[in-house]
Every structure is written in structure tokens, then in C-alpha cells.
Amino acid sequence: MGATGPHPLIELVRAPAALTVPGDVLAGATAAGRRIGPATAGLAGASVCLYWAGMALNDYADREVDAWERSHRPVPSGRVSPRTAFAVATGCTAAGLGLAAVSGGRRSLATAAALAATVWAYDLRLKSTPWGPAAMAVARALDVTLGATAPGAPTAKGPEASARVLARLAVPVAAMAAHTATVTWLSRSEVEGSTPALPAATLAATAAIGAAVALPPGRTRPIGARAATAALAGWYGYRFGVAQAAAARHPVPERIQKAVGAGIHSMVPLQAALIARAGAPGTGLGLAGLLPLARRLSRRVSPT
């Protein structure tokens, strides 16, 4: 990104916002007891590709609306053609599915295919319907689940072992899905603003999510993991909560937009808290280090 601004394709896919994506896979992998290694990195790469596909497809599908509401975006401004945006979405989808297959095999490919189908359905059909937030929540839930399909499973097999894995996945899947739904509901008022009730409701949801994640899964976790989980969950709640509280006081478009941006970036500390909760505080704290970089890059390329 030079002095003249970001490349139109970087702006099209909101490239830096992809820093909020790999944490889903890491949260799913650590919760399921998978080893973090090259296969997990490959699945994280697949997740990023599918995220970029969704961003490009979003701008392709919204090109007529954006001509009125966001004329500066790459497609309505003429810097990227609709055909190119669709080609980027198709290419990134294919790349994501290929990476998933190579990295994790058939289970990973099946999960990635379900994620891709959800992304395409949201952008092309569901975005403006009452089902839009639910579709986005499902997409993030599948992204977390993708991490659980990584190779390197624990040695225990059978129905009981599978049930334990599903139980450990419940909190990260539910937390990321709920957070994504709140951000999506909030984003629907970015252009026209809202009443104070909407950001107040999403603020309450954020507090509930943070509290649920901060609670340790029993007394078996070391004190360091529990402390890191609580600190990261608190950071998540503060980071997103302050912006929502400001929007609740004055729910004008500018404050709603800032709250949505904070919600996107707050996925990083939320993912980090989930990873620490699963017993990997070092990995969680390392992931949290991506947040300052994501915020810095967002000054050049908007994440919304």
C-alpha cells in the first residue's frame, strides 16, 4: 500500500480484516485437542481465502446499492469491474477449498464446503433478509469447526471421545456465532443510524458472551490459563463495549460504524480468550498481539 492508497483489490477483499479470521481455526483446534502445526496453518489459510471470497462477492452482489450508499467502494467507483469481483470471489473460494482438502482431508473439505456455501448464500440471497445475521453466525461457527477437523486428534477414539470433543467445542462455537450475529445486526444500521435500543441490546449480548467465556471449564485449568482467559475476555468486553456504549448514547451512523469496526477487531481478543480457556494461554496471548496490527491497517483499508 503506497502513498496513493491501497490497491483496489486489497480494498475489495478488505485484506487486513482477514487477521480476525485465523483465530477461529485456532480456537476450534485447541478446543478439540488438535496439535497446532502445518495442517492447522493450512486450514487457517483456507479460512482466510473463504473470508476474502465473501468480501469480494459481497461487493459484487451489492454493486447497485453501493452506487448510492458507498460510491467510493472499488466496484461502484469503477476501479474494479463486477466481472473481476466475481472472478476474485470464485478464485478465492476454489483456493480455500483446495487448501482445506490438502491440509485436513475429506472432513476438512466437507466443512469448508459447507462454510463456502453459507458465505455464497448470505451474499447472494440472505443478507437483506431476517435470516442474514443467522447465516453469518453459522459461517463463523463452521469456521471454528474447521479447526477441529485438523489432523493430530487425541489418541482416544469412539463415541465417548467424540462426545467430549463436541462438548469442548460448544463454548467457542456458540461464542463466535453469537458475537458475529450481534455485529451483523449492528452493521445493518451503519448507513442510516438506529435507535439507542439496538446498540444497548448488542452491548448486553457482548457482556453475556464475555462472562460466559471468562468462566473456566472446571477447576482443571492451571491458574495461568484461567487468569489469561479472564484478562482476554475482559479486554474483548471493554474493546467492543466502549464503542457500543457510545453508539447507544448517540446512535448516529458514524458511531454505529465505529462500533461495527470495533466488533470486527474484537473477534481477536475473543478468539484469544477461547484459546486460553482451552488450555493454551501462550497461543492465545500470541494471537492477541495481532489486534494492534489489525487496528493500524484498518486506518488504510476499512474492515466494514
Side-chain angles (χ1 to χ4, degrees), residues 54-152:
M55 293 298 100
L57 188 64
N58 175 80
D59 278 22
Y60 168 81
D62 285 357
R63 60 193 183 278
E64 294 181 1
V65 174
D66 284 348
W68 290 95
E69 296 181 350
R70 299 179 179 88
S71 58
H72 62 281
R73 292 293 303 157
V75 174
S77 68
R79 290 175 292 139
V80 174
S81 70
R83 178 178 297 181
T84 298
F86 190 82
V88 169
T90 303
C92 286
T93 300
L97 295 176
L99 266 174
V102 170
S103 302
R106 286 181 293 179
R107 290 180 63 221
S108 296
L109 175 59
T111 305
L115 173 56
T118 303
V119 168
W120 280 70
Y122 172 79
D123 281 335
L124 297 180
R125 294 291 182 186
L126 301 176
K127 182 178 181 180
S128 299
T129 73
W131 297 101
M136 285 294 289
V138 169
R140 280 283 172 169
L142 286 168
D143 210 24
V144 174
T145 305
L146 181 62
T149 67

Side-chain angles (χ1 to χ4, degrees), residues 8-234:
L9 291 181
I10 291 177
E11 190 178 348
L12 176 74
V13 299
R14 286 85 154 170
L19 291 172
T20 66
V21 175
D24 289 340
V25 170
L26 291 175
T30 53
R34 271 39 174 183
R35 289 189 295 271
I36 305 300
T40 313
L43 292 176
S47 176
V48 168
C49 288
L50 294 176
Y51 182 88
W52 284 340
M55 293 298 100
L57 188 64
N58 175 80
D59 278 22
Y60 168 81
D62 285 357
R63 60 193 183 278
E64 294 181 1
V65 174
D66 284 348
W68 290 95
E69 296 181 350
R70 299 179 179 88
S71 58
H72 62 281
R73 292 293 303 157
V75 174
S77 68
R79 290 175 292 139
V80 174
S81 70
R83 178 178 297 181
T84 298
F86 190 82
V88 169
T90 303
C92 286
T93 300
L97 295 176
L99 266 174
V102 170
S103 302
R106 286 181 293 179
R107 290 180 63 221
S108 296
L109 175 59
T111 305
L115 173 56
T118 303
V119 168
W120 280 70
Y122 172 79
D123 281 335
L124 297 180
R125 294 291 182 186
L126 301 176
K127 182 178 181 180
S128 299
T129 73
W131 297 101
M136 285 294 289
V138 169
R140 280 283 172 169
L142 286 168
D143 210 24
V144 174
T145 305
L146 181 62
T149 67
T155 55
K157 303 291 183 181
E160 291 185 3
S162 297
R164 285 196 296 270
V165 170
L166 289 175
R168 289 196 295 265
L169 278 173
V171 170
V173 165
M176 292 309 303
H179 174 75
T180 301
T182 64
V183 175
T184 305
W185 275 115
L186 202 56
S187 71
R188 292 185 161 197
S189 300
E190 281 187 298
V191 175
E192 297 180 355
S194 75
T195 65
L198 175 60
T202 61
L203 177 58
T206 298
I209 294 167
V213 172
L215 291 174
R219 298 288 182 179
T220 58
R221 293 287 182 260
I223 186 64
R226 282 182 277 161
T229 302
L232 290 166

Side-chain angles (χ1 to χ4, degrees), residues 246-303:
R249 288 192 297 272
H250 300 287
V252 295
E254 292 77 10
R255 291 202 176 187
I256 297 292
Q257 290 164 16
K258 287 183 178 179
V260 171
I264 293 172
H265 288 147
S266 294
M267 289 182 180
V268 176
L270 177 58
Q271 293 157 345
L274 291 166
I275 293 167
R277 188 178 190 273
T283 302
L285 292 170
L287 178 71
L290 291 178
L291 181 56
L293 177 60
R295 292 181 61 189
R296 190 177 307 118
L297 292 175
S298 71
R299 298 188 185 105
R300 300 297 303 278
V301 181
S302 173

